[in-house]
Amino acid sequence: MNVSVSRSDQAPPAAPPAGTAGLRGRIGALGPVGLVLAGGISVQFGGAIAVSVMPRVGAVGIVALRLLFAALVLVVVCRPKVRGYTRADWGTVVAFGVAMAGMNGLFYQSVARIPMGPAVTLEVLGPLALSVFASRRAMNLVWAGLALCGVFLLGGGGGFDGLDPAGVAYALGAGAMWATYILFSARTGRRFPQADGLALAMVVAAVLFLPLGVAVSGPKLIEPGALALGAAVAVMSSVLPYTLELLALRRLPAHTFAILMSLEPAIASIAGFLILSQSLSLAEALAITLVIAASMGAVRTQVGRRGARRGHAGEDPVADVVAGPVAVVDADLAPEPSGK
């Protein structure tokens, strides 16, 4: 999603000295992976900071601040056009914004009740289920079973007595909204140029949540400390990751991006431990590992299916959107460096 300035119209830089060409090539090969990991770290540590702010403004309040500041930044940077679109275009971007608001709102309600690692693990099940259903391959039943084993362990070996049931329900709801977000992200990207659709959808999400934030948190939302932390969460959890992922997706295959994004439950666990002092039991750590493995396996299976069917008519349109258990539609929709 493009929130950066294209440099394709600038003159190319001078050729580097011969002695540094190999080093720069190796750094360039590792760069996209580092960008994706940096984006994931930014998202999850931003989420951990958001949890630390919740005692001040509540879960609804921090979501309202995050969406508001993210919308302001994206509108200023992207300067999206608002004319020339059809009613169907606006219906798509509104649905995208609703999905975005629901995903954020439910997730923050979840992390207000259960640790970040389990919350993100349960949330990932939504996109994973979308990938499994879209693929219709028997192998994906294995990955689904592996994920269910992880969920079983996460619930303490039966039920969710160790986790707040409401927190679990919110996390699963956030996962369902994440899957919806993936589908409408693809549709929005086809109807709106560059990151215009993202910016407009973020405005929709902010407009939906701001009244709720005002009603729940009231004057606490405009306290200087809360505003500063809300802006930091918006940059870390929305603006910066979108920028880093766009830069990475220009040089990184979509399936590699998806596999790296599948590591987010582990990153969330680390962020929860370092910032919020949230520790995991051995069973919870194993559960998260199983879900990550299932996500990676589903990505590889889906990529193999798409590669085998590339160029053939009658492909499943949903499978074309979902290349794995994360929003890899960004890879298909991200503009080329030339700004196409």
Side-chain angles (χ1 to χ4, degrees), residues 78-93:
C78 301
R79 290 176 292 180
K81 297 186 300 181
V82 295
R83 296 185 179 182
Y85 298 117
T86 66
R87 183 177 298 180
D89 293 336
W90 283 111
T92 298
V93 83

Side-chain angles (χ1 to χ4, degrees), residues 196-209:
D196 286 14
L198 170 65
L200 294 171
M202 192 71 76
V203 171
V204 171
V207 168
L208 288 174
F209 244 96

Side-chain angles (χ1 to χ4, degrees), residues 13-27:
T20 63
L23 176 60
R24 292 194 178 189
R26 288 191 291 272
I27 293 175

Side-chain angles (χ1 to χ4, degrees), residues 40-126:
I41 291 170
S42 181
V43 167
Q44 300 306 332
F45 277 79
I49 292 174
V51 173
S52 69
V53 182
M54 284 181 188
R56 293 190 181 192
V57 297
V60 174
I62 191 59
V63 173
L65 289 175
R66 170 186 169 173
L67 293 175
L68 174 63
F69 282 110
L72 290 174
V73 171
L74 288 175
V75 166
V76 170
V77 173
C78 301
R79 290 176 292 180
K81 297 186 300 181
V82 295
R83 296 185 179 182
Y85 298 117
T86 66
R87 183 177 298 180
D89 293 336
W90 283 111
T92 298
V93 83
V94 168
F96 186 27
V98 171
M100 189 183 300
M103 179 177 67
N104 281 278
L106 291 170
F107 177 73
Y108 279 106
Q109 289 291 337
S110 174
V111 294
R113 294 167 172 80
I114 63 177
M116 283 190 60
V120 175
T121 302
L122 292 167
E123 185 190 27
V124 165
L125 294 179

Side-chain angles (χ1 to χ4, degrees), residues 179-226:
T180 306
Y181 169 96
I182 291 173
L183 295 175
F184 280 102
S185 175
R187 296 179 184 180
T188 301
R190 288 193 291 267
R191 292 176 177 269
F192 292 82
Q194 302 293 329
D196 286 14
L198 170 65
L200 294 171
M202 192 71 76
V203 171
V204 171
V207 168
L208 288 174
F209 244 96
L210 191 56
L212 294 175
V214 172
V216 172
S217 302
K220 295 179 181 178
L221 285 181
I222 58 175
E223 293 178 358

